[in-house]
Amino acid sequence: MKTAFVLFSGLLFAQAVLAEGGTVTFTGAIVEPACTTMTNSQHAAVQCSQNGVDKVRQVRFNKQQQTLPFQLGNVSVQSSGHIKAVEVIYR
């Protein structure tokens, strides 16, 4: 019985993953520029602005989650061989 339930619930979730399209409604305004990133082989320098003030944070290329300047979001780095994937999530 448990196996059938898990299989059935898995099919329900599969449909949600395959869904396409939709509408995102945004109300408000973007009043600050996005953060910029400069990279070299050891780290990335992330520069963010808030209320006319710039801050720079050095992001190390490791798997630790790190915060953006002004606590605007998080940065994490994943490694796969010689390739590094940097994920930035804004709050």
Side-chain angles (χ1 to χ4, degrees):
M1 185 66 174
K2 289 182 183 178
T3 304
F5 177 72
V6 171
L7 177 61
F8 179 70
S9 64
L11 291 174
L12 289 176
F13 291 125
Q15 289 177 347
V17 172
L18 298 175
E20 294 181 24
T23 302
V24 175
T25 303
F26 177 80
T27 303
I30 298 173
V31 296
E32 299 285 352
C35 298
T36 59
T37 305
M38 295 179 291
T39 61
N40 64 30
S41 62
Q42 300 299 316
H43 66 274
V46 180
Q47 178 179 346
C48 300
S49 298
Q50 191 173 57
N51 298 323
V53 177
D54 294 335
K55 281 191 180 180
V56 177
R57 169 123 342 127
Q58 301 294 326
V59 175
R60 298 282 171 203
F61 291 148
N62 58 27
K63 293 184 180 180
Q64 250 180 8
Q65 192 173 57
Q66 301 161 74
T67 59
L68 290 173
F70 303 108
Q71 304 293 318
L72 294 175
N74 297 314
V75 178
S76 60
V77 180
Q78 302 294 322
S79 298
S80 178
H82 296 294
I83 298 173
K84 307 268 190 242
V86 179
E87 179 181 39
V88 179
I89 299 174
Y90 289 95
R91 294 183 187 160

